[in-house]
Amino acid sequence: MLKILTIVLVIFVVMACESPQEELPGPIHIVPIPLEMTVDKGYFQVGGNTVIHTVGADLGPVPGYVKEYFDGLTGKDLTIQYGESISKGYIKLELAGAVEGKEAYEISSSRKGVSVKASTAHGLFYGLQTIKQLVQQDSKGNYVIPAVMIKDAPRFGYRGMHLDVGRHFYPVDFIKKYIDLIALHKMNTFHWHLTEDQGWRIEIKKYPKLTEIGAYRKETVVGHASNSKAYDGIPYGGFYTQQQVKEIVKYAGDRFITVLPEIEMPGHSQAVLAAYPEFACKPGPYEVATTWGVMKDVLCPTEETFSFLQDVLTEVMALFPSEYIHIGADECPKDRWKESQYAQDLVKREGLKDEHELQSYFVRRIEKFLNANDRKLVGWDEILEGGLSPNATVMSWRGEKGGIEAAKQGHEVIMSPTTYCYFDYYQADPETEELSIGGFLPVEKVYGYEPIPAELDTDQAKYILGGQGNVWTEYMKTSKRVEYMALPRMSALAEVLWSPGDKKDYNHFVERMGSFRKHLDAMEVNYARHIFQD
Ligand code: TNX
């Protein structure tokens, strides 16, 4: 009897010691969902003695980020060790050529420690983003990382978020926060829309009036531009100095994000004309636009305009290491070119059919210049009209049509159709939302996006580099509003672009977002709450 009692007691004691050790405090929720994950028993407990062990020569800033993150959790000053292996209590970061793909990573964790492998620092960085989501806190306040095996790599190479700083201007600190959000979602491109009719936002040394005059408008339309004649009478503006641009490009680069700058031409250029009316087809004066829409005053395709643009792009290329430069080229009404003797003579001289071909001529000249400087041109899908430039990449926004056509012609494509990727659209009943531009794009619809159109065969599909969420800011006066419109739609798109299509499950996504939102809360992000029902 005593024997049996002892055995029962021993079992009890063992269970009492083991079970809290085994049981995870909460579910394992990762966004975007990894390619492969298996969960094992137990977990690693992070403590003051945990050592960050690095293997390999070029881990970039990653060990520093890992330390910063875990120092923050533990309140300790954790050691980074470059040398010998540690048998227990490690977070190991290892450059390993065997992990295929420059953004791929693998995590294996056990009671002894956590190991992250990747062939580049970029991959290790994504490993860290996942680890942050693996960390849980138990009832005693300890931080634990569940025992898992994860193999992860992105579905698409281009995973972007756009921000229009022309219509409204946001401080450098917010741009950095936006970049942090892009990084948290394992996205890799920040498309910075820097120039608009309503404001030119980047310092160009050779043309100081671009910012002295072009960065400021005298007032802004109140209400919806389609039916309002009211203006606020308040001067508005701002711009980024080259020093600030460098700081942002570096900040993004340190987070493995490429900044794709956009300098709009020949349309959306009224702010340029306000500063330098000589680049218009008609004499000025012009003023920086105060309402939203498509403006008829555009750049005139003169030699003076081309040399101006080349000068601007020369300064832009010096600031942005990006292989691609975006030149806009959307929504350029042809009225002024039709009226202009110069433009009409040019059409004849070049043997062009019409003003659409004149726009193609315009884009081709700029492309030649960019290519000669080892950069590639990206433009909105209007660059298809009148014939594509030889090496151009198309950003498809008016639906998927432009992207399909470009891919069929063997051109690279970034998908950003209004139907799935316009985060300036309403995400819930307009009656319950603040004024927005229009449209309707709830989170579930973004999540349902499939970036490879069914019309493309396997070879053509290879030209789809990926996709992007666009945040046009006519109706977003503050950075808090930008956050509300961008999230959590950005989270949905991140999963569309990162995770395999067959892993997608909307309900599961919403459930995982229930955990993911804690990271947004920690960053004090004003995300929209609709999917959380609170
Ligand atoms: C179209 S998308 C535009 C922008 C507007 C946006 C509003 C694109 C290339 N051009 O200038 O801000 O619609 O949704």
Side-chain angles (χ1 to χ4, degrees), residues 65 252 332 346 512 532:
Y65 294 144
C332 178
L346 181 57
R512 281 178 285 120
F532 303 115

Side-chain angles (χ1 to χ4, degrees), residues 155-156 446-451 492-499 504:
R155 179 176 172 205
F156 291 101
V446 177
Y447 192 80
Y449 181 43
E450 167 47 53
L493 186 65
E495 186 148 310
V496 166
L497 297 173
W498 179 280
S499 308
K504 283 202 308 183

Side-chain angles (χ1 to χ4, degrees), residues 167 196 268 330-331 380 397 422 424-425 437 472 474:
R167 272 61 177 262
E196 261 306 337
H268 286 291
D330 58 310
E331 300 180 322
W380 298 107
W397 74 279
Y422 269 48
D424 56 340
Y425 286 12
I437 195 158
W472 298 103
E474 289 94 330

Side-chain angles (χ1 to χ4, degrees), residues 17-157:
C17 295
E18 281 284 330
S19 59
Q21 271 285 318
E22 293 296 328
E23 211 165 299
L24 280 174
I28 299 177
H29 280 163
I30 299 165
V31 176
I33 197 162
L35 190 59
E36 282 176 36
M37 176 167 85
T38 53
V39 181
D40 216 333
K41 267 215 176 103
Y43 49 71
F44 170 63
Q45 189 173 316
V46 185
N49 297 326
T50 301
V51 174
I52 299 155
H53 175 217
T54 65
V55 182
D58 190 12
L59 283 75
V62 179
Y65 294 144
V66 173
K67 176 173 162 55
E68 190 186 325
Y69 175 68
F70 285 103
D71 281 0
L73 287 186
T74 58
K76 296 273 163 34
D77 178 19
L78 301 189
T79 311
I80 301 184
Q81 181 174 308
Y82 296 90
E84 259 164 70
S85 286
I86 306 144
S87 59
K88 243 179 112 177
Y90 54 86
I91 296 170
K92 180 172 161 189
L93 307 170
E94 182 177 357
L95 281 184
V99 180
E100 243 176 81
K102 77 174 177 46
E103 297 184 302
Y105 68 92
E106 294 177 10
I107 295 175
S108 64
S109 46
S110 69
R111 289 185 185 85
K112 290 193 208 148
V114 179
S115 141
V116 193
K117 283 186 193 166
S119 64
T120 64
H122 192 162
L124 291 176
F125 181 71
Y126 290 154
L128 170 62
Q129 301 316 310
T130 294
I131 286 179
K132 285 193 208 163
Q133 297 187 50
L134 286 170
V135 169
Q136 302 186 5
Q137 203 170 15
D138 70 13
S139 54
K140 293 195 205 92
N142 299 314
Y143 289 99
V144 301
I145 297 174
V148 292
M149 287 276 291
I150 292 176
K151 279 189 187 200
D152 204 6
R155 179 176 172 205
F156 291 101

Side-chain angles (χ1 to χ4, degrees), residues 466-477:
Q468 176 175 287
N470 290 345
V471 181
W472 298 103
T473 59
E474 289 94 330
Y475 299 91
M476 300 182 209
K477 279 202 176 79

Side-chain angles (χ1 to χ4, degrees), residues 302-418:
T302 60
E303 289 310 307
E304 289 74 19
T305 299
F306 284 114
S307 53
F308 160 72
L309 290 172
Q310 293 187 3
D311 289 344
V312 168
L313 290 172
T314 300
E315 290 193 33
V316 166
M317 288 186 292
L319 292 167
F320 296 90
S322 165
E323 188 189 356
Y324 294 87
I325 306 285
H326 202 307
I327 58 120
D330 58 310
E331 300 180 322
C332 178
K334 305 299 185 290
D335 310 56
R336 298 293 177 260
W337 293 0
K338 282 189 181 140
E339 298 156 7
S340 150
Q341 194 55 50
Y342 181 87
Q344 290 306 315
D345 289 347
L346 181 57
V347 166
K348 275 201 210 94
R349 201 172 347 122
E350 292 294 327
L352 305 171
K353 202 170 80 215
D354 56 14
E355 292 75 23
H356 291 294
E357 288 200 357
L358 181 53
Q359 163 139 342
S360 289
Y361 163 86
F362 196 113
V363 174
R364 260 196 320 274
R365 279 192 62 166
I366 297 294
E367 164 158 85
K368 233 185 178 165
F369 176 73
L370 290 177
N371 288 173
N373 285 281
D374 292 323
R375 306 299 178 105
K376 292 187 185 168
L377 179 146
V378 188
W380 298 107
D381 58 48
E382 283 90 337
I383 64 172
L384 281 151
E385 296 164 3
L388 260 186
S389 300
N391 309 309
T393 298
V394 172
M395 206 169 252
S396 188
W397 74 279
R398 295 173 301 175
E400 296 166 87
K401 216 171 56 259
I404 293 168
E405 199 180 318
K408 285 189 173 163
Q409 290 183 31
H411 282 255
E412 291 178 340
V413 172
I414 295 154
M415 281 297 192
S416 193
T418 52

